[in-house]
Amino acid sequence: MSEKTGPYKSYRRDRQEKKKSVPDKQEGKDTTKMVEGKHENKEAESEPRKTEEPSEEQIDEGKLSESKDHVINIEERELEKENLARDSIENYIAESRAKMEWKENIRKANLEASANRSDDDKQFYKLDSSLKKNTAFVKKCKTFSDGQKASLTKEMGGLNLTKYIGEVASALVETKLKMSDITAMVDFCSALHQKYTEFSTFLMENWTKILSMKKDEKVSNPSKMRVDLRLYSELVSVGVFTLKSGLPLLGNVLTTLVTQDKESLTNSAIIISFCKHCGEDYAGLVPTTIAKLVSRFSLTLPIPTLLSPDKQRPVRNILTDYHTCLVASLLNVHKELALAERANRRQLMTRGEVSAERKEKAEKLSEEFAKLKGHAEQMAESMGEEMLEMPKLETEKDEEDEQELANDVAPDTLGQLWDDEDTKAFYENLPDLVAIIPSILYKDSKGEGEPVNKKDTEDLDNENEDEIQIDEEPVEEVNLEEDEDMAEAINMSTRMVLDAFLSQLPNCVNREMIDSAAAEFCMNHNTKSNRKRLVKALFSVQRTRTDLLSFYSRLVAALQPCMPDVPNQLAALLKQDFRWHVRKKDQINIESKLKVCRFIGELTKFSMFSKADVLFCVKQLLFDFSHHHIEMACTIFESCGAFLYRSPDSHRRTKIYLEQMLRRKAAMSLDSRYTTMIENAFYMVAPPDSQQEARRERPPLHQYIRKLVYADLNKTNTEKILRQIRKFNWDDPEVAAYVVKCLKNVWNLKYFNIRYVASLLAGLVQYHDWVGQEIIDSVLEDIRLGMEANNPKQNQRRTAMVKFLGEMYNYRLVESALIFKVLYSLITFGVIMDPETAWNSLDHPDQMVRLRLVCVLLDTCGQYFSSGTSKKKLDYYLLYFQRYYLFKKSCYPSDTSFPLGISNIVLETISIIRPKMKMLEDFETACKAVLKIEEEFVAILREKMPEFMQQQVVPQEGEAEGAGLGTISEGMEEEEELSQVSEGNSQSQPSISRSRSVSQAAMFETEGVEFEGEEWDRGEGEQEMLDSQDSENVVEVDEGDEDMMVPSIPVFEPCPEDDDFLAALDKMVNENISESKGLVRDKNSLSSMTAPVSSGRGKKNWEQLQEEQEDQEDNVQVVVMLRKGGKATTAKGISVSADSMLGEQFLAREEREQREKTRVKQLTLEISERQEEEELTEALQQLQRVSMVGPGGARRGFRPNKGAPDADLIFGNKKPQK
């Protein structure tokens, strides 16, 4: 032992000397901090040594002695660290033992005082019990501190606090202490406990009031709670409170703090403080660092005897549970912070900037993560557990993307900043006026340069691309007016010299002249007023002299090192003028606007105008991209766009703005001049890397047909284009097929021009009827293929085809039955009304395109189904449609999650065609309504057609819901066509109310959306080939050239099946003829006939008439037919009594016939009145619109009258002229 003491003491002396030489060394208050601090200080002391000693790389191989010395120094440092660690753990053990001995002594004294108290209070009689001194003592207790302990203890010895012990206890509990005052407070409370019997009782009551908390109650003062919890724990451990009375309150406080704080973690500081100072006594906690050092040096720590391990286990479990919650929250925040930083990096790489919201969010997460990490490290250290390492997120893909984005802005990728060496020399090789001009001539102006305002630059970096807002900040005005005093001081000759210099500036049209002008101004005219006049002259350059802007910008860049206020003032003036033009939004002074934009671009290339500011200017122009703003944006890109695009710091934002400009051009209907201007600016900044493949040119005739249909067709020239199309050679199958193909591909038109194609087709069908059949078949097939393929890329095309079908109905090219078939197929084909199995059908519950198609078709032609049987059909269909719509809606968890746009479209469509219809509430109600309608129809069919209903298969209860409307067979189609004949009379009248004219179609014209993509007909899913029936002549077509192929007209070719059909038909006709000849006819049935009730009689006189009237009152006149032999029949009238059976039958028959005539008469009158009302309504509607009948609105040979309608002719007061 003595051998170890010597070196250890010498080491301590050396250590103390080093401490004196390092004044910055600090010792930790806590033992754990002390150990860490010593480690850190030791490493800090060793750092200078490392820098002073030569590194291994600098040692020569021949200097072996120096390498040996270096090895010895390393060994000495390791030995020094080892000794320091041993010293630290020994000090910690010594301090722990001293602390435990102190607590044990106080606990023993407190327990002895409690056990040996006497009931005699004579010891307090001699003490001072005055109110004044006792009250003063209580007040001092409220401000207790470590420095007041001695005085308060001495004062307490001379006072009798028996009557005031409750106030003293309350004052001590309410005292705001520091951690350094805890030991003194424990000693003071122990002295009071030993002297007064009731002190612990009163103190316990006050602690119960302070520490008792409800389950959901938050800690109002965490710092005081942290100190109070430690003080209370120390009082329990020293025996002021018994374990039986003190531990329940302590356990309740810890449980409440941990339970209510598992999510917010606001009480972490309180829990960590308890673990550090009281964890050893109540939970048996040993710090991680101490545990490692004890295990390393094989030492033994003193074990506290306050609680047994079994009683320590519940407290340890509570603390472990809280530590688990803390670590889980740390991992969540770490993951969220990593995702936020990754998103910010990606946005920075893609957009060149990060929004303010994202930055603020990342900063908050970073602060929260640092706080949680510190708390987790402290608690893990206190509880003797290892700190959890933060997991690394799988960001390999993101790192690859970031690397790709970084490669995009690499200098090799961006290319050369300047096109040639002359341009580079002009913008970069500036005259060095600082080296040429004496400093005495510019030292004043160099110090007067105003610093660049970086506020706008910071704001630009923080802006979000998705939220472009107009600049509403007040424009800072630049004052270039000369002061009156200064103006008076300048003599006339100096002013004239400067005017002569400024007048020569427009003549400086090369680099040498403008550099000479810069040197001349710096040497001869460098005053504050002259600099202002120069800025004003440069800013006021003529708007037509745009060739001077680059030279003026070089002049400003050359003067910038000597006169920084010149570029600052000029840039501020240009920015002010630019903002003024943008905010004014006028359509005049375009040359002045373009001059400002070009001047800004030239200054940007000389770095006299910040890149952030010029990009902000572009952003403001893109916000209102119209008229002059288009030209201004193109001018900026033409002047400095390539410079910004090839600069790494502005490449991404420039690229984004260029793409945004192209998107706005495509979305807007711009003039061809603006379109060309935008494309020129884009390709000037970012020219294409490789030459595009040459497209195959269409024949001129095909180009002309496409121009007529796709480009020229509108409301005013439909008749003209119809005449042009009729002039084509329709006998040529190739030409005719291409015209039909262009008419079929209506998705290549603007949406609101589809109705004019239908009008064109209605006129064309009068001359070529096969065209209508082929186009209608193609439209129906396209609609059916769209439902089968269900490709979202074809949604625009499907919408156009449905719109086209509705317009063809408006022009009487298709019947209402076909429209209803399409409507029903849209809501039944491939639809399963079961949320579980609907995902396996053609129509998924989350796909809304069919709802949109139904609404488009009803909006197009639904207003004409307003009377007759079509009205009833539409009413029934709307019930099925509501069921389909509500089924889609029921598949979503809530009404708010269902797409709001689809709900608005459906409700608006139904309200337009049926304003008074009541919408069904939910899917079950719709199913009941549909079932009720179907049951009514089944009942009617059973009554009218019982034999037909017996042949039908009655659906089961489970099939009624999903069966709906199945596929319509050919037999049913034939029966429906036959039923249309009986409905002709009822539908002919309502059909008059539907206008087939272009003028009425224009009444419902709305601003549609142009379907982009001229080459839709080459899109996915379309299979265009020649329609020739010859299967041998198959033409191979390259991919992408389908649009160039021209289908031919179907040609009839005889086949053996036709001959078989004709032979079977002839045979059937002959058999019918032969069967009719063999029929035997009954002659009696042929000669039987019914006798008339009365026959014509001759004229009678007045007396005979009177006699007949008297006889008719009681008799009935009948006629009997007589025949004698083979002669002709004769009729004879006889009178029969009205009371006889024959008379009663005749009277009843006459009465029935009379009633039937009356009923038929009434029906006829009602029909006439209804027809008159409809004719009047139609006439009024014709008066309110332009009377122009479309080419398909009349039969062949009919030509509509021109001019305004004749009211007299309509109302019947004037006969039509022949």
Side-chain angles (χ1 to χ4, degrees), residues 1089-1098 1100 1108 1112 1116-1121 1130-1135 1146 1149-1150 1153 1157:
M1089 56 186 301
T1090 304
V1093 177
S1094 62
S1095 61
R1097 290 173 289 183
K1100 298 181 179 179
E1108 288 183 359
Q1112 288 176 1
V1116 177
Q1117 295 293 329
V1118 297
V1119 178
V1120 178
M1121 297 188 66
T1130 58
K1132 181 179 181 182
I1134 62 175
S1135 178
F1146 274 90
R1149 179 180 176 183
E1150 289 181 354
E1153 292 178 353
K1157 290 180 180 179

Side-chain angles (χ1 to χ4, degrees), residues 1008-1025:
V1009 179
E1010 179 179 358
F1011 290 153
E1012 296 180 10
E1014 181 72 17
E1015 304 303 327
W1016 259 81
D1017 48 350
R1018 295 196 298 174
E1020 181 181 355
E1022 180 182 6
Q1023 301 177 356
E1024 291 289 345
M1025 58 181 66

Side-chain angles (χ1 to χ4, degrees), residues 204-463:
M204 189 65 185
E205 293 177 357
N206 287 281
W207 277 119
T208 304
K209 294 179 182 178
I210 294 296
L211 297 178
S212 296
M213 294 186 300
K214 297 180 181 179
K215 191 173 183 180
D216 298 334
E217 183 181 358
K218 299 296 182 181
V219 179
S220 58
N221 192 350
S223 59
K224 188 176 185 306
M225 173 61 72
R226 180 167 55 92
V227 179
D228 290 347
L229 184 61
R230 182 188 172 188
L231 176 58
Y232 179 77
S233 303
E234 296 289 351
L235 292 175
V236 174
S237 63
V238 298
V240 175
F241 305 123
T242 62
L243 295 178
K244 184 177 181 180
S245 61
L247 288 179
L249 179 60
L250 180 61
N252 185 24
V253 173
L254 289 176
T255 305
T256 305
L257 289 175
V258 171
T259 303
Q260 72 178 8
D261 197 43
K262 288 186 177 180
E263 295 182 359
S264 60
L265 300 175
T266 55
N267 300 333
S268 56
I270 303 174
I271 304 298
I272 292 172
S273 176
F274 178 80
C275 293
K276 284 183 178 179
H277 301 99
C278 306
E280 186 178 3
D281 292 334
Y282 291 95
L285 302 179
V286 179
T288 306
T289 307
I290 300 301
K292 290 181 179 179
L293 292 176
V294 168
S295 175
R296 179 179 175 184
F297 296 106
S298 301
L299 301 177
T300 304
L301 289 174
I303 300 175
T305 59
L306 179 63
L307 296 176
S308 62
D310 294 338
K311 293 184 178 180
Q312 289 178 350
R313 190 175 296 108
V315 180
R316 186 179 183 89
N317 292 338
I318 293 175
L319 298 177
T320 304
D321 188 16
Y322 189 81
H323 179 255
T324 304
C325 296
L326 186 61
V327 171
S329 179
L330 178 65
L331 292 176
N332 293 335
V333 174
H334 173 260
K335 183 177 181 181
E336 191 174 355
L337 176 62
L339 294 176
E341 291 178 348
R342 185 172 64 186
N344 289 351
R345 288 195 304 270
R346 186 172 184 82
Q347 188 178 28
L348 182 64
M349 298 295 288
T350 54
R351 296 182 176 178
E353 60 182 356
V354 180
S355 62
E357 295 179 358
R358 288 179 176 269
K359 283 186 177 180
E360 185 178 357
K361 181 181 178 181
E363 291 175 357
K364 289 182 179 179
L365 289 174
S366 178
E367 295 175 359
E368 185 179 359
F369 175 73
K371 181 180 178 181
L372 288 175
K373 186 178 180 182
H375 289 170
E377 290 175 350
Q378 294 178 18
M379 193 163 185
E381 172 67 22
S382 301
M383 295 187 65
E385 297 182 2
E386 293 292 338
M387 177 61 187
L388 180 67
E389 295 183 0
M390 295 295 103
K392 293 184 179 180
L393 300 179
E394 298 180 359
T395 58
E396 296 181 358
K397 184 177 180 181
D398 296 330
E399 291 176 357
E400 293 177 359
D401 296 341
E402 292 176 3
Q403 186 62 33
E404 291 179 1
L405 294 173
N407 295 335
D408 291 342
V409 296
D412 297 338
T413 306
L414 298 178
Q416 297 295 329
L417 187 61
W418 308 106
D419 296 333
D420 49 39
E421 292 297 329
D422 293 339
T423 306
K424 180 178 180 181
F426 181 79
Y427 286 104
E428 292 184 354
N429 298 338
L430 300 175
D432 189 4
L433 297 183
V434 176
I436 299 173
I437 308 300
S439 60
I440 190 68
L441 297 177
Y442 61 82
K443 65 177 183 179
D444 296 335
S445 60
K446 189 174 183 179
E448 292 180 359
E450 298 178 359
V452 178
N453 186 11
K454 296 184 179 181
K455 180 179 179 182
D456 294 337
T457 305
E458 295 174 358
D459 293 341
L460 289 172
D461 294 337
N462 296 336
E463 288 182 3

